[in-house]
Structures are given as C-alpha cells and as structure tokens.
Amino acid sequence: MGATTTSPFVIAGAGLAGAKAAEALRDGGSDRPVVLAGDEQERPYERPPLSKEYLRGMSARDEVYVHPRGWYEENGVELRLAAPVAGIDPGGHTVTLGDGETLPYAKLLLATGSSPRRLPVPGENLDGVHYLRRLAESDALKETLGAASRLVVIGGGWIGLEVTAAAREAGVRVTLLEAADLPLVGVLGRETAQVFADLHTDHGVDVRCGTHVTEITGEAGRVSGVLLPGGERIAADAVVVAVGVSPNTALADGAGIETDDGVRVDAALRTSHPDIWAAGDVARAFHPLLGRHIRVEHWANALNQPATAARSMLGEDASYDRLPYFFTDQYDLGMEYTGHVGRGGYDRVVFRGSPADRQFIAFWLRERRVLAGMNVNVWDVTGPIRTLVTSGLPVDAGRLGDVGVPLTEVFAGG
Ligand SMILES: Cc1cc2nc3c(=O)[nH]c(=O)nc-3n(C[C@H](O)[C@H](O)[C@H](O)COP(=O)(O)OP(=O)(O)OC[C@H]3O[C@@H](n4cnc5c(N)ncnc54)[C@H](O)[C@@H]3O)c2cc1C
C-alpha cells in the first residue's frame, strides 16, 4: 500500500506536540485528512500542571487539556485514543496500530514524547511507589498526598522538586534523595543549584545529597520505606521516583530511522527518512543558532516545534531556531530559564540581584558571551535575555551584574 493523494497526515503520539501539530497542519490550509493517534485514553493534555497547580488541587481537570473536547471533530482531525502506533513501514508509507489495523500516510510525524526512567531496585513495583507523567498518575499522587504523612522523593530534578513543594504544602514530611552533590547541579551548576537546595531546606525538607536508594521496602505489598547504602532505613508511606525521562524512540528504531538519544532531525525537523518528521521531547533537532543537535524536554519546545514541522510537511521551507525556554514554580519561587549551556559548559556565572533573597537573574557565560539566563522572581525579562544570548556579543560582567544598568546596555564597550 503506497501513499495516494488522499492519504492522511498521520501523527503518532497525542500529547502537546501531537495536538499542536494537528492544529498547525489544519491552519496550513491542506485538505488532506489528519489522523492523530495516541496510546492514552485522554485527549491531549499539558503535563506541567500535573506536578503544580493540578496536583495541589488549585486548578480543575478541564484546564489541562490542549483543546476543548469538540475541537478535533470541528477541525477535521481524526483523534484516535487508546490507539498505540505499533510499527511503521517507511517504504510502504503505512503505520500499524496496536490492534493490527493498517493506515496509509502521506507524511508522518513522530510526537511520541518521553517516558519516566524506572528505578532498577527491588521494591520498585510496590503499591505506594509513584511515577509522574500521566494525568491518572497525578490523580493517584494527589490522593496519596492527602493521606500520607511521610514521603520519600527519589531524584532532585524539576519534577522531584515540584512534587516535594506540593507535598510540603499539603503538610507531608518529605525526605528528598539526590544522587549528585546537589539537586539540579548537572543542569544549573553549583552556584545556582544551591539556591534550590536552600529553598527546600528552608521549607522543612530533609535534603540528602550524594546518596542513592538500594531498595524500596514494603510490608504486605505496600511501601514502608527505603534503604540507603549504609543500611540506613527511611520510613515512608509513599515514594515518588523522579529520576528523569528517556525519549520514546522504539517506533523510529523499529523502522530504521536514525536515532541518537532521540530521533535525529534536521532544522526542519525532518528525520533520516524524507516523509517522516519528529517534534517535541522525542526529537533531537539541529539548532541553527547553536550549531548542534539538541533534545529539549520542555513544554515550550513541544508547543512551538510542531508549527515548524507542519510547515515543512506542507512543503514550505522551515527551520526551528527558537532558544530553549522552561519554567518552574515551587512554593513562592517562580523561575524562567532561557538559552542552552552546551557540552563545553560555562566559565562564569554572573548574578544580578540577590540569590539569598531568591530574587535575581543568573547568567551563564563562556568567553564573555551569555549562553543562558535564569530569572527567579523577576519578571518580563525573557526578551532581553534572549537578545543577549542570540546576539553572541561579549558583555561586561560588571554591568551585567548591576541591577541599575538596563539589560540592553551591558555589552562590552557599549
Ligand atoms: C509532571 C510534569 C511536569 C512538567 N513541568 C514542566 C514545566 O514546568 N516546564 C516545562 O517546560 N516542561 C515541563 N514538563 C515537560 C513537558 O510536559 C514536556 O516537555 C511535554 O509534555 C512534551 O510534549 P510531547 O508532546 O513532546 O511529549 P509527551 O507529553 O510525552 O506526549 C507524547 C504522547 O505520545 C504517546 N505515545 C508514545 N508512544 C506512542 C506510540 N507508539 N503510539 C501512540 N502514542 C504514543 C505518549 O503516551 C504521550 O501521550 C513537565 C512534564 C511532566 C511529566
């Protein structure tokens, strides 16, 4: 079965990237059918609230969805839920669904996202051990936080820290276990990661770094605590495992499409196969400004990349060159991060404002150029930070760190 003029655009994965791709393909004006096939029961929803306001009971379920229920039918998008795409035949231009049905496609977008890494220790499957990716998992965790008194959170990344904050706000005692020297140290570096460690310590969290769990213990099939390497046992009535995600590349691998910790795509988000694209968490895309392939596991990337993929699928020239951007909310700390610190790393961090007061902008520099900026409880500066990064011009560190100097006037010799 080959592609015909009426073969649909098929999107594998009905998360944020898949839903935005369907929207962009429709906005692009093509008459071709669009099929959006997802393996979940829910129509596409946004995940950030699942560890923040939705988990804390501050927002309603209806607010998490990307589109209203009727949007798909009204816009001629065939939404297939509980319909995993099980295989791709790139030569025949078909996909096979989990129930064996075969669908032809003209162009295919992989928007399969990523999945939580499992913790390879005994007890990982006990009742009361939570992972957090899906809406139903947030519901289950919300219920647990309402009843638990002692929680162990394994992994001090963004999701682990947000869950920790939600648990503390629900009055639960929390021990946070992080394998590295500090939570987030791999992402932010020591100077700025300390701010987040202090934030949680100040909110009564027992933050334990440089340690890992050897076993999750249980009684009668339910979690009772965790064991640390020296034999120490920390009692808990629930455990959250938040040790990162892996891109869902199995479909691409099975079809012989090039992968490398993600589906490798060019700046137009096209894979190694000319009629197959990838976007969102699963894509490792060439970034024209940074000059390398990057994979971004953040909301803004899943929101914005699909428009570029759709344009390219519709035959236009397109290139995705937005800088990575993400945000977090923990207690009374709100933060936005713009930019990307590559493998070479940074050689200096400049603070503008006061990390101790948790109101500042941190800049990561390499050879006097700004690679990334993170504003903490300082707002409306994403534009100027983006300009500093994209300009590639050297800055004067003294002026950059001086809150009295506008961010437009910090260039060296300026
Ligand atoms: C709890 C939580 C909090 C977050 N908070 C933030 C935040 O504060 N800021 C931020 O920037 N980012 C945040 N993120 C990250 C952000 O949600 C992701 O970057 C975004 O969801 C990626 O969207 P996606 O559509 O690429 O992938 P996903 O959201 O993973 O969606 C992919 C979908 O495809 C499905 N799928 C997989 N394989 C198949 C298949 N073979 N067939 C059919 N369907 C398939 C998956 O089940 C899933 O439904 C958070 C994530 C989580 C889990």
Side-chain angles (χ1 to χ4, degrees), residues 100-372:
E101 186 186 353
T102 299
L103 294 178
Y105 66 80
K107 311 268 171 82
L108 172 67
L109 177 75
L110 302 176
T112 49
S114 52
S115 298
R117 282 192 209 117
R118 312 299 294 192
L119 193 68
V121 300
E124 183 259 346
N125 287 321
L126 287 165
D127 280 352
V129 177
H130 294 262
Y131 288 82
L132 181 55
R133 184 81 194 171
R134 295 186 164 188
L135 195 48
E137 292 168 334
S138 183
D139 288 333
L141 185 56
K142 191 193 296 187
E143 201 180 316
T144 293
L145 295 186
S149 59
R150 288 165 309 180
L151 177 72
V152 168
V153 176
I154 304 173
W158 299 113
I159 291 175
L161 294 181
E162 289 173 1
V163 169
T164 296
R168 288 300 299 136
E169 286 178 4
V172 179
R173 271 167 55 194
V174 185
T175 304
L176 174 71
L177 301 175
E178 166 57 45
D181 293 353
L182 281 173
L184 301 173
V185 70
V187 192
L188 300 180
R190 182 162 304 283
E191 307 85 345
T192 323
Q194 189 65 52
V195 173
F196 286 88
D198 293 345
L199 172 72
H200 286 274
T201 305
D202 291 353
H203 282 85
V205 178
D206 181 9
V207 180
R208 310 252 197 125
C209 297
T211 188
H212 61 275
V213 168
T214 55
E215 183 179 342
I216 301 175
T217 57
E219 278 160 30
R222 234 205 114 68
V223 69
S224 61
V226 300
L227 277 183
L228 303 186
E232 184 186 355
R233 182 170 177 277
I234 301 174
D237 27 41
V239 169
V240 173
V241 180
V243 292
V245 295
S246 305
N248 294 325
T249 56
L251 261 186
D253 288 329
I257 294 164
E258 192 183 348
T259 60
D260 164 23
D261 180 35
V263 179
R264 210 172 155 86
V265 291
D266 63 15
L269 308 178
R270 193 189 294 254
T271 69
S272 58
H273 190 281
D275 287 332
I276 304 178
W277 282 253
D281 273 22
V282 77
R284 175 171 293 281
F286 182 78
H287 195 287
L289 187 71
L290 302 172
R292 59 182 179 270
H293 284 81
I294 59 168
R295 193 170 67 75
V296 178
E297 295 166 354
H298 294 303
W299 170 88
N301 186 65
L303 181 79
N304 294 314
Q305 269 191 344
T308 300
R311 279 207 307 282
S312 180
M313 291 167 80
L314 292 166
E316 295 170 34
D317 277 341
S319 167
Y320 187 78
D321 62 0
R322 274 183 187 248
L323 281 181
Y325 163 92
F326 67 94
F327 58 92
T328 186
D329 294 309
Q330 298 168 32
Y331 312 105
D332 54 358
L333 180 151
M335 170 285 252
E336 297 171 291
Y337 181 108
T338 307
H340 192 262
V341 178
R343 287 225 175 86
Y346 60 92
D347 53 30
R348 182 167 187 188
V349 176
V350 172
F351 287 106
R352 180 183 179 93
S354 167
D357 295 338
R358 296 182 195 127
Q359 189 168 32
F360 64 95
I361 310 177
F363 294 97
W364 287 262
L365 272 60
R366 186 172 173 84
E367 293 169 1
R368 302 174 68 208
R369 283 151 178 93
V370 177
L371 302 174

Side-chain angles (χ1 to χ4, degrees), residues 85-104:
V85 178
I88 307 168
D89 172 4
H93 276 70
T94 59
V95 295
T96 307
L97 302 184
D99 62 3
E101 186 186 353
T102 299
L103 294 178

Side-chain angles (χ1 to χ4, degrees), residues 367-370 387-396 410-412:
E367 293 169 1
R368 302 174 68 208
R369 283 151 178 93
V370 177
T387 303
L388 286 174
V389 177
T390 53
S391 75
L393 294 171
V395 294
D396 179 319
V410 298
F411 294 106

Side-chain angles (χ1 to χ4, degrees), residues 50-105:
L50 307 192
S51 53
K52 304 182 188 64
E53 60 272 21
Y54 182 76
L55 179 63
R56 299 202 308 262
M58 312 286 281
S59 70
R61 197 180 185 86
D62 249 14
E63 293 174 42
V64 304
Y65 294 104
V66 181
H67 296 111
R69 188 180 299 281
W71 183 90
Y72 299 92
E73 202 180 329
E74 282 158 22
N75 287 276
V77 173
E78 187 184 340
L79 178 60
R80 306 279 297 258
L81 297 178
V85 178
I88 307 168
D89 172 4
H93 276 70
T94 59
V95 295
T96 307
L97 302 184
D99 62 3
E101 186 186 353
T102 299
L103 294 178
Y105 66 80

